[in-house]
């Protein structure tokens, strides 16, 4: 039964952007499919989604780049539109993505050998290709070259790493980016045996480490070695960074049956809930955002709250509700 405090939080979520409202209706209420569809359609015409779409240039790019380090490039905007749930079948999505497909290349944004690649053919780093692939698969684009490359780059421990082959150990950051791409491909109806097998191996890489622990000792990994970010700090958007909530949300979307290996991660999520039932935005990675997605670091975050509630609902489907 939904508690009074949970109902208040759901009302608060429903007061947010259309991208929050439609997902709240779908995942946390008994709203009909028609109600959900009406609200989802507003992502293209109202609020943050409409603002992002309006900023696309005639050449298909956002901020003049296929990718950059400022979180405002074509790749980053498509990532956000995917997170917001812009309907891929909508006319506005089809027009925007067609412009990207037909005009955007990696010239000036990637390694020399990838300069002439079309956007959805990707470049060379698996963390970037994972993000491009996730957006491409979600919007129904051909990402076969990206997938072929990613399958060939999977490491012996099951994950991926942008520093391979220098490093033979996988990275949580890179692995989650690739897993999300492979999952979007499957959810779009492409269930090739090699893709499914690679995704399940990568998924097991996270589960063997209980989402944030060292496989060798079981000790919690306090900070990422490369980005120095804390995996217990929940951000939105996450971009290429891993954190525990992102890992759990992937498992939820993949339909994984919760088991004991995620119990510590669930406890962490529960421990971070505010007294009013919301979750804060713990951190926001440096860079230029084209739109504001939350009210600021330390403030209650609709995105983190929506994602955390969905994860807890998924977990409690096979376990007693966390306290």
């Amino acid at each position: 039964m939904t508690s009074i405090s949970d109902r208040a939080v759901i009302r608060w979520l429903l007061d947010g952007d259309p991208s929050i409202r439609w997902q709240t209706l779908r995942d946390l209420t008994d709203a009909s499919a028609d109600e959900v569809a009406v609200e989802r359609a507003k992502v293209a015409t109202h609020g943050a989604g409409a603002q992002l779409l309006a900023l696309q240039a005639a050449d298909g790019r956002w901020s003049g780049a296929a990718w950059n380090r400022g979180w405002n490039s074509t790749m980053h905007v498509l990532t956000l539109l995917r997170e917001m749930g812009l309907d891929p079948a909508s006319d506005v999505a089809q027009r925007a993505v067609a412009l990207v497909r037909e005009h955007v290349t990696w010239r000036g944004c990637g390694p020399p050998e990838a300069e002439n690649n079309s956007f959805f053919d990707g470049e060379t780093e698996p963390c970037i290709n994972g993000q491009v692939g996730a957006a491409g698969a979600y919007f129904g684009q051909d990402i076969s070259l990206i997938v072929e490359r990613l399958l060939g780059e999977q490491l012996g421990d099951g994950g991926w790493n942008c520093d391979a082959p220098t490093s033979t150990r996988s990275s949580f950051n890179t692995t989650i980016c690739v897993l999300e791409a492979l999952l979007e491909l499957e959810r779009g109806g492409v269930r090739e045996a090699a893709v499914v097998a690679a995704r399940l191996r990568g998924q097991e890489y996270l589960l063997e480490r209980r989402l944030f622990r060292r496989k060798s000792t079981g000790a919690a990994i306090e900070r990422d070695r490369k980005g120095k970010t804390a995996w217990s700090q929940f951000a939105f958007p996450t971009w290429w960074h891993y954190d525990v909530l992102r890992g759990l949300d992937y498992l939820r979307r993949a339909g994984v049956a919760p088991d004991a290996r995620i119990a510590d991660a669930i406890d962490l999520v529960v421990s971070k809930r505010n007294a009013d039932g919301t979750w804060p935005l713990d951190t926001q990675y440096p860079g230029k955002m084209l739109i504001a997605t939350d009210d600021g670091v330390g403030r209650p975050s609709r995105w983190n709250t929506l994602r955390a509630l969905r994860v807890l609902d998924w977990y409690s489907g096979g376990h007693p509700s966390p306290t």
Side-chain angles (χ1 to χ4, degrees), residues 117-135:
N117 288 7
S118 64
F119 181 80
F120 291 113
D121 287 344
E123 48 116 272
T124 61
E125 289 198 31
C127 58
I128 294 175
N129 282 339
Q131 294 169 85
V132 174

Side-chain angles (χ1 to χ4, degrees), residues 40 60 69 98 133 194 222 286:
R40 186 181 191 183
R69 298 182 185 278
E222 297 295 336

Side-chain angles (χ1 to χ4, degrees), residues 16-97:
D17 188 78
S19 58
I20 291 283
R21 289 201 300 270
W22 87 264
Q23 295 184 63
T24 301
L25 289 171
R26 181 193 62 184
D27 299 331
L28 300 175
T29 78
D30 295 325
S32 69
D34 286 344
E35 289 177 283
V36 172
V38 166
E39 201 60 44
R40 186 181 191 183
K42 295 177 184 176
V43 175
T45 58
H46 295 76
Q51 292 171 38
L52 287 174
L53 289 164
L55 292 171
Q56 186 180 27
D59 65 4
R61 297 184 296 178
W62 279 268
S63 301
W67 171 89
N68 62 22
R69 298 182 185 278
W71 319 138
N72 61 351
S73 73
T74 303
M75 185 195 80
H76 295 105
V77 171
L78 291 179
T79 295
L80 267 181
L81 291 173
R82 174 177 71 87
E83 296 268 18
M84 291 176 175
L86 175 67
D87 185 351
S90 65
D91 289 343
V92 68
Q94 292 287 311
R95 286 195 299 272
V97 173

Side-chain angles (χ1 to χ4, degrees), residues 244-273:
V244 170
L245 181 56
R246 183 178 184 181
L248 286 168
D249 206 28
Y250 159 79
L251 294 174
R252 177 194 67 83
R253 295 185 74 242
V256 176
D259 63 33
R261 293 176 293 180
I262 68 168
D264 290 349
I266 291 291
D267 287 344
L268 173 63
V269 172
V270 172
S271 75
K272 295 176 70 65
R273 193 172 194 178

Side-chain angles (χ1 to χ4, degrees), residues 205-222:
Y205 169 85
L206 296 182
L207 288 168
E208 286 177 342
R209 291 154 180 81
R210 295 156 63 187
L211 275 71
F212 68 113
R213 296 186 178 276
R214 300 189 187 283
K215 184 179 178 182
S216 56
T217 66
I221 301 172
E222 297 295 336

Side-chain angles (χ1 to χ4, degrees), residues 15 40 47 58 62 147 177 203 221 226 228 238-239 307-308:
D15 285 338
R40 186 181 191 183
W62 279 268
V147 172
C177 292
Q203 179 176 293
I221 301 172
K226 189 170 186 178
K228 306 303 180 185
T238 53
W239 306 131
R307 293 157 66 227

